[in-house]
Amino acid sequence: MADQAYTLPIPVADEASQEFFDGAREGKLMLLRCTQCQRYRLPGRELCSDCWSTDTEWAQATGRGKLYTFGIMHQKYHPAFADMTPYNYALVELDEGPRLVTNIVECDDDDLRTDMPVEAVFDAVSDEATLIRFRPSE
Ligand SMILES: [Zn+2]
Protein backbone atom coordinates (compact mmCIF):
# COMPACT_ATOMS: atom_id res chain seq x y z
CA MET A 1 0.00 0.00 0.00
CA ALA A 2 3.06 2.24 0.31
CA ASP A 3 3.03 2.94 -3.43
CA GLN A 4 0.28 5.51 -2.99
CA ALA A 5 -0.18 8.20 -0.37
CA TYR A 6 -1.95 6.86 2.67
CA THR A 7 -4.59 9.36 3.73
CA LEU A 8 -6.29 7.61 6.66
CA PRO A 9 -5.56 8.46 10.28
CA ILE A 10 -2.47 6.66 11.60
CA PRO A 11 -2.08 5.58 15.23
CA VAL A 12 0.56 7.49 17.16
CA ALA A 13 2.78 5.47 19.46
CA ASP A 14 3.18 6.56 23.04
CA GLU A 15 5.73 5.43 25.62
CA ALA A 16 3.70 2.33 26.47
CA SER A 17 3.19 1.23 22.87
CA GLN A 18 6.42 2.29 21.15
CA GLU A 19 7.84 -1.24 21.14
CA PHE A 20 4.60 -2.58 19.62
CA PHE A 21 4.77 -0.14 16.70
CA ASP A 22 8.55 -0.51 16.29
CA GLY A 23 8.00 -4.28 16.11
CA ALA A 24 5.31 -3.90 13.48
CA ARG A 25 7.74 -1.95 11.27
CA GLU A 26 10.10 -4.92 11.53
CA GLY A 27 7.35 -7.44 10.72
CA LYS A 28 6.89 -8.60 14.31
CA LEU A 29 3.77 -8.65 16.44
CA MET A 30 5.03 -7.70 19.91
CA LEU A 31 3.07 -8.27 23.11
CA LEU A 32 3.75 -7.73 26.77
CA ARG A 33 4.27 -10.93 28.73
CA CYS A 34 3.92 -11.09 32.50
CA THR A 35 7.17 -12.36 33.95
CA GLN A 36 5.34 -13.77 36.98
CA CYS A 37 2.63 -15.89 35.32
CA GLN A 38 3.55 -15.68 31.59
CA ARG A 39 0.14 -14.29 30.55
CA TYR A 40 0.27 -12.03 27.48
CA ARG A 41 -1.39 -8.65 27.20
CA LEU A 42 -1.54 -5.65 24.92
CA PRO A 43 0.47 -2.51 25.70
CA GLY A 44 -1.38 0.08 27.74
CA ARG A 45 -2.38 -2.30 30.49
CA GLU A 46 -0.15 -1.68 33.44
CA LEU A 47 -1.23 -4.68 35.51
CA CYS A 48 -1.48 -8.35 34.61
CA SER A 49 -5.17 -9.28 34.71
CA ASP A 50 -4.33 -12.68 36.23
CA CYS A 51 -1.81 -11.97 38.98
CA TRP A 52 -1.79 -8.13 39.09
CA SER A 53 1.96 -8.02 38.67
CA THR A 54 3.49 -5.02 36.91
CA ASP A 55 6.56 -7.07 35.90
CA THR A 56 6.63 -7.55 32.15
CA GLU A 57 8.85 -8.21 29.20
CA TRP A 58 8.25 -7.77 25.49
CA ALA A 59 7.80 -10.99 23.55
CA GLN A 60 7.17 -11.71 19.89
CA ALA A 61 3.79 -13.31 19.23
CA THR A 62 3.22 -15.91 16.54
CA GLY A 63 0.97 -13.57 14.56
CA ARG A 64 -1.65 -16.28 14.41
CA GLY A 65 -5.14 -16.26 15.82
CA LYS A 66 -8.80 -16.50 14.95
CA LEU A 67 -11.48 -14.03 14.00
CA TYR A 68 -13.32 -13.47 17.27
CA THR A 69 -15.94 -11.09 15.86
CA PHE A 70 -16.29 -8.50 13.13
CA GLY A 71 -18.54 -5.85 11.66
CA ILE A 72 -18.99 -4.16 8.32
CA MET A 73 -18.79 -0.38 8.57
CA HIS A 74 -21.20 1.53 6.33
CA GLN A 75 -21.33 4.77 8.31
CA LYS A 76 -18.82 7.47 7.36
CA TYR A 77 -17.77 8.67 10.81
CA HIS A 78 -14.56 10.25 9.54
CA PRO A 79 -14.22 12.00 6.16
CA ALA A 80 -11.01 10.11 5.38
CA PHE A 81 -12.99 6.86 5.22
CA ALA A 82 -15.66 8.20 2.84
CA ASP A 83 -14.28 6.48 -0.26
CA MET A 84 -13.71 3.09 1.34
CA THR A 85 -17.03 2.23 2.97
CA PRO A 86 -18.17 -0.40 3.39
CA TYR A 87 -15.12 -1.95 5.05
CA ASN A 88 -14.65 -4.55 7.74
CA TYR A 89 -13.36 -4.03 11.24
CA ALA A 90 -12.46 -7.06 13.26
CA LEU A 91 -11.48 -8.31 16.66
CA VAL A 92 -8.84 -11.02 16.31
CA GLU A 93 -8.12 -13.29 19.26
CA LEU A 94 -4.41 -14.06 19.11
CA ASP A 95 -3.15 -17.56 19.92
CA GLU A 96 -1.45 -15.92 22.92
CA GLY A 97 -4.82 -14.69 24.22
CA PRO A 98 -5.12 -10.91 23.72
CA ARG A 99 -7.72 -9.58 21.29
CA LEU A 100 -6.60 -6.99 18.77
CA VAL A 101 -8.78 -4.50 16.87
CA THR A 102 -7.81 -4.72 13.21
CA ASN A 103 -9.05 -5.33 9.67
CA ILE A 104 -9.18 -8.56 7.67
CA VAL A 105 -7.55 -8.30 4.24
CA GLU A 106 -7.29 -10.64 1.26
CA CYS A 107 -10.84 -11.83 1.97
CA ASP A 108 -14.24 -10.66 0.68
CA ASP A 109 -16.35 -9.25 3.50
CA ASP A 110 -19.06 -11.79 2.58
CA ASP A 111 -16.62 -14.63 3.32
CA LEU A 112 -15.76 -13.50 6.86
CA ARG A 113 -16.71 -16.04 9.52
CA THR A 114 -16.13 -15.99 13.25
CA ASP A 115 -13.49 -18.48 14.40
CA MET A 116 -11.79 -18.54 10.99
CA PRO A 117 -8.00 -18.87 11.40
CA VAL A 118 -6.07 -15.75 10.49
CA GLU A 119 -2.47 -14.59 10.40
CA ALA A 120 -0.88 -11.18 10.67
CA VAL A 121 0.21 -9.16 7.67
CA PHE A 122 2.31 -6.06 8.07
CA ASP A 123 0.99 -3.16 6.03
CA ALA A 124 3.60 -0.42 5.73
CA VAL A 125 1.30 2.53 5.12
CA SER A 126 4.10 5.08 5.37
CA ASP A 127 7.82 5.20 6.11
CA GLU A 128 7.02 5.63 9.80
CA ALA A 129 3.94 3.47 10.30
CA THR A 130 3.16 -0.18 9.72
CA LEU A 131 -0.34 -1.37 10.59
CA ILE A 132 -0.99 -4.96 11.58
CA ARG A 133 -3.89 -6.48 9.70
CA PHE A 134 -4.87 -10.14 9.29
CA ARG A 135 -5.65 -12.46 6.41
CA PRO A 136 -7.21 -15.93 6.33
CA SER A 137 -4.77 -18.77 7.00
CA GLU A 138 -4.92 -22.55 7.02
ZN1 LIG B 1 0.66 -12.33 35.62
Side-chain angles (χ1 to χ4, degrees):
M1 199 177 273
D3 56 336
Q4 60 188 39
Y6 188 78
T7 57
L8 301 179
I10 293 175
V12 177
D14 61 13
E15 191 176 326
S17 62
Q18 188 68 53
E19 188 93 15
F20 178 87
F21 288 103
D22 287 350
R25 273 204 313 278
E26 297 169 6
K28 301 175 185 172
L29 200 172
M30 300 301 291
L31 297 175
L32 289 171
R33 182 169 55 203
C34 174
T35 55
Q36 298 300 313
C37 75
Q38 310 304 312
R39 185 185 176 99
Y40 290 88
R41 64 182 191 267
L42 293 170
R45 293 192 172 202
E46 202 169 316
L47 298 176
C48 174
S49 60
D50 269 3
C51 72
W52 291 43
S53 171
T54 57
D55 299 333
T56 58
E57 61 187 355
W58 285 97
Q60 184 176 356
T62 60
R64 302 183 70 85
K66 65 181 181 180
L67 182 54
Y68 183 76
T69 191
F70 65 95
I72 307 300
M73 182 61 76
H74 293 270
Q75 185 68 38
K76 299 170 179 65
Y77 285 113
H78 188 290
F81 290 85
D83 293 337
M84 61 178 291
T85 54
Y87 61 90
N88 74 69
Y89 59 98
L91 194 60
V92 164
E93 185 171 271
L94 301 171
D95 283 356
E96 291 81 5
R99 294 175 184 156
L100 196 60
V101 177
T102 183
N103 309 108
I104 306 298
V105 296
E106 301 177 32
C107 182
D108 287 341
D109 288 345
D110 287 344
D111 294 331
L112 294 171
R113 298 289 182 270
T114 55
D115 288 335
M116 66 191 288
V118 292
E119 63 186 5
V121 291
F122 299 88
D123 186 1
V125 298
S126 73
D127 288 343
E128 297 81 31
T130 295
L131 303 181
I132 300 177
R133 306 184 199 277
F134 287 79
R135 67 181 172 208
S137 70
E138 295 305 314

